[in-house]
């Protein structure tokens, strides 16, 4: 069952409907969960349901055909405000939040309420978050604020204590496979099932991994890391850098590709963690499992923890717009230090 093509979050929808029916709908919500699992989609659908001119608000069931529903779909409803972190910034700037708060205070143009969706809420800096507090505390009557972020725990207490936190679970493999087929990312059920395993509950992740280039490169990367003779960190950093650049001219595409690779590396090392603990790694790919088995003979679990952490740290730096060649060089150097040393 899916609610207006939003898959996998029926419990979230049911709880929002219950609040509406009881007249206790929160004026500020924080949607928390992994990237690419449908939080934005659900926030938009919720806005559509609240702004729909035909169906009663309490039904939370957008008709999808009235002028208001169509405008939400087209992204130009005057009472739906949406902001996100600009692609070239690592933070949500304070002026974006100030403008949002000001616009939210204006009278609704079409109906009884205004809705604001703040994407990338993890990237609110302290200054911007503070600028937001007054609106969160005393929102204009009828308005609804939806913050969308990865983690409620990394938010300032002052923000999170004023929101109802709604936690989103990663999609199950079955749900994810269904979404991938619906969106044409996978051409058949077998490919959908394979990508759903790799995607770990995230549509955007599975979508990113669907490219044959990525598939080829991750193989090269893992096999190089596991090579019995060790590897040359500088050469590999250069190779990764080139591959990242092939992701597109735009910085944002390159960073997306780099981040995807960091996720894959972290997953590879997590598999290694299973193996060094004497368990069978959950990796769906037999070639991955072979590389993992090879490396596991040379490393201790405590080393592997460090490797996983190091990849997550690099991913964080990528997100913070640090200088890419430096991130890669330093990462591969650290990985090499542990892996090659273990080899000698
Ligand atoms: Zn409608």
């Amino acid at each position: 069952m899916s609610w207006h093509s939003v898959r996998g979050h029926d419990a979230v929808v049911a709880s929002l409907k219950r609040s509406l029916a009881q007249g206790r709908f929160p004026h500020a919500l924080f949607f928390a969960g992994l990237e690419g699992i449908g939080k934005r989609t659900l926030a938009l659908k919720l806005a559509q349901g609240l702004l729909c001119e035909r169906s009663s608000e309490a039904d939370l069931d957008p008709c999808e055909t009235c002028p208001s529903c169509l405008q939400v779909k087209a992204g130009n409803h005057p009472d739906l405000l949406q902001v996100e972190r600009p692609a070239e910034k690592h933070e949500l700037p304070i002026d974006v939040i100030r403008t949002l708060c000001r616009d939210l205070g204006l009278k609704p143009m079409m109906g009884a309420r205004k809705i604001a969706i703040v994407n990338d809420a993890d990237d609110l800096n302290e200054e911007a978050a503070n600028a937001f507090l007054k609106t969160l505390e005393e929102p204009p009557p009828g308005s609804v604020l939806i913050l969308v972020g990865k983690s409620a725990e990394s938010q300032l207490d002052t923000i999170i204590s004023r929101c109802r936190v709604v936690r989103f679970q990663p999609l199950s493999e079955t749900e994810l496979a269904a979404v991938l087929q619906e969106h044409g990312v996978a051409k058949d059920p077998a490919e959908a099932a394979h990508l759903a395993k790799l995607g770990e509950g995230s549509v955007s992740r599975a979508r990113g991994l669907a490219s044959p280039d990525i598939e080829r490169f991750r193989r090269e990367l893992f096999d190089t890391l596991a090579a019995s003779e060790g590897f040359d960190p500088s050469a590999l950093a250069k190779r990764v850098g080139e591959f990242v650049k092939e992701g597109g001219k735009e910085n944002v595409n390159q960073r997306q590709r780099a981040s995807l690779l960091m996720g894959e590396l972290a997953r590879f090392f997590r598999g290694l963690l299973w193996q060094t603990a004497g368990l069978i790694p959950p990796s769906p790919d037999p070639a991955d499992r072979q590389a993992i088995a090879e490396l596991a003979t040379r490393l201790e679990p405590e080393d592997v923890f460090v490797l996983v952490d190091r990849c997550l740290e690099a991913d964080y730096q990528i997100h913070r717009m640090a200088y890419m060649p430096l991130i890669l060089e330093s990462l591969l150097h650290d990985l090499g230090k542990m892996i090659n040393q273990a080899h000698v």
Side-chain angles (χ1 to χ4, degrees):
M1 276 294 286
S2 69
W3 175 74
H4 293 276
S5 72
V6 176
R7 276 187 180 270
H9 305 302
D10 294 348
V12 168
V13 176
S15 129
L16 293 172
K17 280 190 178 176
R18 252 193 327 272
S19 307
L20 265 177
Q22 296 164 349
R24 292 190 300 135
F25 197 75
H27 67 261
L29 294 150
F30 190 100
F31 283 5
L34 275 183
E35 216 158 82
I37 58 174
K39 302 186 300 297
R40 281 186 191 210
T41 312
L42 201 141
L44 273 176
K45 221 19 111 175
L46 175 61
Q48 202 177 32
L50 292 172
L51 294 169
C52 176
E53 294 167 23
R54 292 222 181 96
S55 78
S56 137
E57 189 176 273
D59 294 341
L60 204 55
D61 189 21
C63 74
E64 317 239 7
T65 52
C66 72
S68 181
C69 279
L70 291 177
Q71 279 180 308
V72 170
K73 196 169 172 198
N76 56 14
H77 194 295
D79 296 326
L80 172 61
L81 313 169
Q82 294 188 76
V83 297
E84 60 186 17
R85 172 176 50 80
E88 74 286 1
K89 297 248 162 63
H90 70 270
E91 288 180 331
L92 245 172
I94 183 166
D95 51 336
V96 170
I97 294 299
R98 282 204 181 118
T99 310
L100 178 81
C101 293
R102 194 198 57 217
D103 292 351
L104 199 62
L106 303 174
K107 256 187 153 47
M109 309 266 276
M110 290 176 66
R113 61 161 93 240
K114 281 194 167 231
I115 296 177
I117 301 179
V118 179
N119 290 304
D120 304 311
D122 307 281
D123 302 322
L124 277 169
N125 64 19
E126 199 164 342
E127 203 187 13
N130 285 332
F132 205 16
L133 282 186
K134 197 167 148 25
T135 303
L136 269 183
E137 196 135 75
E138 296 170 41
S143 60
V144 174
L145 283 149
I146 309 170
L147 284 76
V148 180
K150 286 201 272 278
S151 133
E153 283 65 35
S154 61
Q155 286 293 318
L156 294 173
D157 280 349
T158 43
I159 293 273
I160 216 66
S161 61
R162 287 163 174 82
C163 298
R164 178 188 307 167
V165 177
V166 180
R167 290 181 201 281
F168 285 65
Q169 301 305 318
L171 297 181
S172 72
E173 272 179 30
T174 318
E175 283 156 352
L176 182 49
V179 174
L180 294 173
Q181 268 203 281
E182 273 165 20
H183 291 217
V185 178
K187 56 183 181 313
D188 55 45
E191 191 185 8
H194 175 71
L195 286 173
K197 273 205 166 70
L198 291 175
E200 297 183 330
S202 158
V203 180
S204 56
R205 188 151 188 86
R207 194 188 280 276
L209 291 169
S211 121
D213 289 350
I214 298 268
E215 182 80 31
R216 253 194 316 273
F217 191 74
R218 64 193 280 287
R219 181 79 284 117
E220 178 187 334
L221 183 61
F222 297 165
D223 289 347
T224 309
L225 288 171
S228 56
E229 68 275 16
F231 71 95
D232 174 350
S234 292
L236 189 54
K238 194 162 162 261
R239 195 54 205 105
V240 175
E242 285 162 3
F243 180 72
V244 164
K245 275 202 182 136
E246 289 162 18
K249 271 205 193 96
E250 300 291 329
N251 200 305
V252 50
N253 299 108
Q254 296 185 7
R255 283 184 192 267
Q256 256 166 15
R257 182 171 257 204
S259 178
L260 206 60
L261 281 183
M262 291 310 120
E264 282 306 283
L265 267 181
R267 185 223 307 276
F268 179 70
F269 290 132
R270 275 201 304 272
L272 187 53
L273 211 50
W274 285 61
Q275 185 94 34
T276 50
L279 301 163
I280 297 168
S283 174
D285 196 324
D288 284 5
R289 286 203 297 270
Q290 203 185 330
I292 286 171
E294 167 73 34
L295 264 183
T297 58
R298 321 198 310 239
L299 289 158
E300 298 296 323
E302 22 326 346
D303 302 333
V304 186
F305 271 116
V306 179
L307 294 174
V308 175
D309 264 1
R310 192 59 192 79
C311 298
L312 299 178
E313 188 191 337
D315 192 28
Y316 177 77
Q317 290 164 341
I318 290 166
H319 188 68
R320 302 294 290 185
M321 306 283 168
Y323 182 56
M324 184 78 72
L326 206 62
I327 301 175
L328 296 176
E329 178 74 38
S330 142
L331 169 71
L332 270 309
H333 179 81
D334 287 353
L335 299 187
K337 218 159 46 184
M338 302 204 72
I339 294 174
N340 291 336
Q341 199 169 41
H343 163 258
V344 181

